[in-house]
Every structure is written in C-alpha cells, then in structure tokens.
C-alpha cells in the first residue's frame, strides 16, 4: 500500500480519496515482491525503555488499583468476536475539526446503521495534537469528552471500538527516528496518560492502538518504533482501573506486511499476559486499490481476480497481486503472530470505486471490486486477521464510502454484501 499523505494541507486533505488521510504504507512496485520464506520472527520481550526527561507534566495524577470487571477476555478471545470491522474514516482525525473533511459528526443513527448492516466493530481514527497545548501537551477537555461520547455510542450499539493516535499532523509517524525519539516518547506518554485516564471506565469493548502507520524503513527506525510502543503500553497500564487489563494494539512498520515480517523483532513488555494485538494494513495491489494515474512503472488496474479479466480492455487487467499474493502475504502474518497467540488487526483495506468507467467496463470493475473485498475478508479471517474496511465517507468517483452518512442509509449495497459474504454473515 502506498503512503498517499506526505504533505498535509487543508486543501489536499479535502481531496483525500481512499486511504486514511495520513494512511498508507509501502511504496508501490510495478511487480510483486516475492515474500521471504515463511519463518517465524521471534516475539521475545523487548528491553525496558528508560523514561525520558519529559518537558510535560505527569498526567497520571490519580492512578487506580487494577479492576478486571468486564475485562476478563484475552486478546485472542476478543478476536474471535470480531468478524467484520468498519473505519469511521476522514472524521475524528480530520485536521480542522470533526466535520472539516466533509463528513458529519458521528451520530447514534450512523452507528445503529453500521451495527444493523452486519459490522461488529469500528476503528475510530483520532487526531489529538491539534487539540493540545503545544507547550504542555494538555489535550482539550472538550475534545476528550467528545471522544468519550462517541466511544459510548459505539458500545451502546454493542460494537467493539478501537481508537488510536492517527496521522495527527505526522508528529509521530513521520518521525520514527533517533533524533526525535526522546521528544516523541514524552508526547506519546503525555497523550496516552490523558486518553487512557479519561476512558478507563469502559469495559473490554474498547481497545487502544498506539499509532496509525509509523513510517519505518530499517532496523534503526524499528528500534525507535519499539520504544514508542513500549511507552504506550507502560502509560496505559500505569493509569490502572480497567486499563490494567485492556487489550492494546501495536502497529508494524508502515503497517506493511512485508516490512513487518522482515523488521519486527518483538512485542512490547506487558504487565499482563495475552492482552496485545499487532496491526497491519492492506492495499495490495496498489494499482487496483489506490492508484489514480498511470505511472512510468505501471498502469492502473480496473479489474481483479480469477474470472474478472477483460477481453476488450486487456491493458487494465492485473499483471500481479491477485489471489495468490493475498494468500502468501496473509500467511506471513499468521505464522509471525497468530500462530504464537497474537491476533492481527487488518486495520485498513479497500479498493477505490472507479465510477468514471461506463458500460461493460464499469460492470466488470464493480464486480472485480466486490470480489476483491470478499476475498480479502474471507482469507484474512481464515488466518486469524481481523478485517476493518476503510471507509472515507465519500460517495463519488475514486472513493470508498459504503454509507451515505448525511442520510444514514446504505449507498453501496454491492460492496456491503461482498464484505458480509466474505465474513460469513
């Protein structure tokens, strides 16, 4: 999956198409990279990270004794209850406010629709830095309360909900480097102390995720990312209450499957067993999922999958990245994490809707797209990966919205049904 948000301005953000604004992953390639041999990567405990000298106040001012009420399920047990997730994309992570990218505020009516449509979990991307005092890292009480209200709506509708620190101006995910390590660990700690303390009364239906798509390309950066994740785990656990036993999610490098397989060394040290998940994202093949302009190294794919190649438009047929590629990549995550008891959140996946096409080309494209989503969900669940569809709320060309959020109705029934078919619902 290609990282399509490198520079963030209000104008460009309003043009975000399919990936999480700030979402993305590995650079596209004109042909698939052959996966390495399937050999488990060790998940031994990481070394303790020394606490930095923080420029911020200690926001864990009232830690509570651990409370296991409503928190008894392990990560694997919760994973068994999540068959199909949905991203409330381009909303609470929007720079400029919740409605700044064209979506309405999250409402109970929307979440009722999501639940009744067959989803059992939502991923809630959230920005925090724009609501924080830059000198103290104090997050606005108004924003903390708004997030709490939305989490409550999710849980009231019997949905699991995963919240994170999303792109958030890129302060963390664009700076996974040794020179930023101390400053970012200090902010990571300050933010999660506040977030976790404010939300710690929710039961196990609420999961926390350390980051979104941290840009990591090598082992040196991977060591920095491990420190960010360790700070996250330590900060959440130290707030106590239900957070002492909450399931926490940590992201692979760029949330890219191949990079995660090659660079990931260990899960964070945790004070409780079996309460961690890993996260990757999936927009492969990029030519089909996200690509909007032909490039010198390759063309856009309009069609995908066995039986869906065009006889009249062959230059838009896929040349790589079909069923076998999905199987091979998901197998890597199964062996690396799932087989050793660590569930994997497939936190984002989707393919853009190319409604500029017409006639038979459009029909075959939409059929291909539906099959792609069905296949991704089916194969992810078969290997213990929890699929969360990326929905940016847009309904026009090169978008991914399933629901008309203005009217709280289903817009893309074909795609919704494909996801449900893949999940067995």
């Amino acid at each position: 999956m290609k990282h399509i948000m490198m520079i963030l301005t209000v104008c460009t953000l309003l043009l975000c198409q399919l990936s999480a604004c700030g979402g993305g992953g590995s650079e596209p390639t004109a042909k698939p990279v052959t996966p390495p041999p399937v050999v488990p990567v060790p998940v031994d405990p990481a070394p303790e990270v020394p606490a930095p000298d923080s420029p911020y106040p200690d926001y864990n001012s009232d830690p509570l004794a651990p409370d296991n009420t409503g928190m008894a399920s392990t990560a694997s047990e919760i994973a068994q209850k999540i068959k199909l997730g949905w991203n409330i994309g381009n909303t609470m992570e929007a720079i400029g406010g919740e409605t700044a990218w064209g979506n309405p505020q999250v409402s109970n009516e929307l979440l009722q629709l999501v639940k009744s449509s067959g989803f059992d979990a939502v991923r809630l991307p959230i920005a925090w830095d724009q609501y924080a005092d830059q000198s103290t890292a104090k997050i606005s009480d108004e924003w903390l309360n708004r997030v709490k209200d939305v989490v409550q709506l999710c849980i009231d509708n019997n949905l699991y909900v995963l919240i994170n620190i999303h792109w958030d101006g890129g302060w963390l995910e664009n700076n996974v480097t040794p020179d930023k390590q101390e400053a970012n660990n200090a902010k990571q700690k300050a933010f999660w102390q506040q977030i976790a303390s404010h939300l710690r009364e929710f039961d196990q239906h609420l999961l926390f995720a350390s980051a979104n798509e941290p840009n990591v390309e090598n082992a040196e950066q991977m060591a920095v990312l491990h420190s960010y994740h360790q700070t996250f785990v330590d900060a959440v656990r130290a707030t106590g209450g239900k957070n002492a036993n909450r399931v926490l999610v940590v992201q692979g490098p760029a949330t890219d499957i191949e990079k995660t397989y090659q660079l990931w060394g260990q899960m964070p040290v945790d004070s409780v067993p079996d309460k961690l998940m890993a996260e990757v994202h999936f927009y492969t093949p990029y030519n089909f999922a996200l690509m909007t302009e032909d490039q010198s190294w390759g063309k856009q794919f309009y069609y995908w999958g066995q039986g869906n190649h065009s006889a009249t438009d062959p230059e838009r047929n896929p040349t790589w990245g079909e069923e076998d590629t999905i199987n091979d990549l998901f197998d890597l995550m199964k062996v690396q994490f799932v087989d050793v008891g660590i569930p994997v959140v497939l936190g984002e996946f989707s393919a853009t809707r190319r409604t500029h096409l017409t006639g038979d080309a459009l029909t075959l494209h939409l059929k291909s797209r539906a099959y792609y989503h069905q296949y991704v969900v089916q194969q992810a669940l078969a290997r213990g990966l929890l699929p969360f569809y990326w929905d940016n709320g847009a309904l026009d060309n090169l978008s991914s919205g399933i629901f008309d959020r203005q009217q709280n109705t289903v817009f893309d029934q074909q795609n919704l049904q494909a996801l449900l078919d893949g999940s067995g619902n």
Side-chain angles (χ1 to χ4, degrees), residues 340-352:
V340 294
I342 302 167
V344 175
V345 174
L346 194 68
E348 295 180 16
F349 72 95
S350 65
T352 191

Side-chain angles (χ1 to χ4, degrees), residues 162-188:
L162 171 65
I163 72 167
N164 69 357
I165 292 178
H166 207 67
W167 185 81
D168 207 18
W171 68 266
L172 185 150
E173 66 183 51
N174 286 348
N175 294 287
V176 190
T177 54
D179 62 309
K180 298 290 187 179
Q181 183 172 7
E182 183 172 345
N184 281 349
N185 269 315
K187 182 177 281 191
Q188 177 86 324

Side-chain angles (χ1 to χ4, degrees), residues 52-334:
D53 293 329
S54 177
Y56 309 122
D58 182 358
Y59 289 106
N60 187 24
S61 58
D62 61 339
L64 302 180
D67 178 5
N68 200 38
T69 308
M71 306 298 293
S73 296
T74 65
S76 293
E77 288 168 343
I78 287 178
Q80 292 299 314
K81 301 172 185 177
I82 297 176
K83 299 300 182 185
L84 189 60
W86 181 75
N87 277 272
I88 311 180
N90 285 18
T91 306
M92 298 191 78
E93 80 277 33
I95 303 302
E98 188 173 347
T99 63
W101 292 352
N103 286 313
Q105 287 190 321
V106 180
S107 67
N108 187 55
E109 291 75 16
L110 173 64
L111 293 168
Q112 287 177 329
L113 176 63
V114 171
K115 179 64 177 180
S116 66
S117 296
F119 294 92
D120 41 36
V122 297
R123 180 173 177 261
L124 189 61
I126 302 177
W128 303 94
D129 198 46
Q130 66 177 319
Y131 301 101
D133 184 300
Q134 293 303 300
S135 62
T136 65
K138 174 67 176 69
I139 300 169
S140 156
D141 289 337
E142 181 181 3
W143 185 241
L144 285 166
N145 288 332
R146 172 58 183 156
V147 172
K148 186 174 185 179
D149 288 345
V150 173
V151 170
Q152 185 68 64
L153 290 176
C154 293
I155 293 176
D156 287 346
N157 283 286
N158 196 29
L159 291 160
Y160 285 88
V161 56
L162 171 65
I163 72 167
N164 69 357
I165 292 178
H166 207 67
W167 185 81
D168 207 18
W171 68 266
L172 185 150
E173 66 183 51
N174 286 348
N175 294 287
V176 190
T177 54
D179 62 309
K180 298 290 187 179
Q181 183 172 7
E182 183 172 345
N184 281 349
N185 269 315
K187 182 177 281 191
Q188 177 86 324
K189 179 179 179 180
F191 279 1
W192 278 111
Q193 283 181 328
Q194 296 171 78
I195 299 164
S197 294
H198 204 74
L199 303 176
R200 68 182 158 200
E201 296 308 312
F202 289 108
D203 70 8
Q204 63 189 17
H205 283 82
L206 173 62
L207 292 73
F208 294 155
S210 174
N212 172 44
E213 293 179 343
N215 290 313
V216 169
E217 300 293 336
N218 53 52
E220 180 183 54
Q221 288 183 293
M222 189 67 237
V224 176
L225 179 58
H226 280 310
S227 78
Y228 293 169
H229 290 333
Q230 190 65 58
T231 295
F232 158 69
V233 171
D234 291 346
V236 171
R237 294 290 184 237
T239 62
K242 290 180 171 58
N243 289 335
N245 292 284
R246 191 172 307 285
V247 169
L248 307 178
V249 184
V250 292
Q251 294 64 45
T255 53
D256 177 85
I257 287 177
E258 288 175 301
K259 290 179 182 178
T260 299
Y261 188 83
Q262 292 160 359
L263 295 175
W264 189 271
Q266 64 278 317
M267 298 296 284
V269 174
D270 198 3
S271 57
V272 289
D274 304 321
K275 292 285 188 173
L276 297 179
M277 295 184 181
E279 181 179 354
V280 293
H281 297 171
F282 192 74
Y283 295 96
T284 300
Y286 170 78
N287 309 57
F288 180 71
L290 291 180
M291 191 175 180
T292 58
E293 294 182 356
D294 292 344
Q295 302 293 335
S296 60
W297 49 262
K299 294 180 178 292
Q300 300 166 77
F301 302 159
Y302 294 167
Y303 318 110
W304 189 90
Q306 295 178 8
N308 293 327
H309 290 201
S310 173
T312 59
D313 191 16
E315 72 172 0
R316 298 303 178 183
N317 288 331
T319 58
W320 70 280
E322 296 190 273
E323 290 94 338
D324 287 348
T325 298
I326 288 179
N327 297 343
D328 290 344
L329 292 174
F330 288 2
D331 279 344
L332 296 182
M333 295 296 91
K334 179 180 184 295

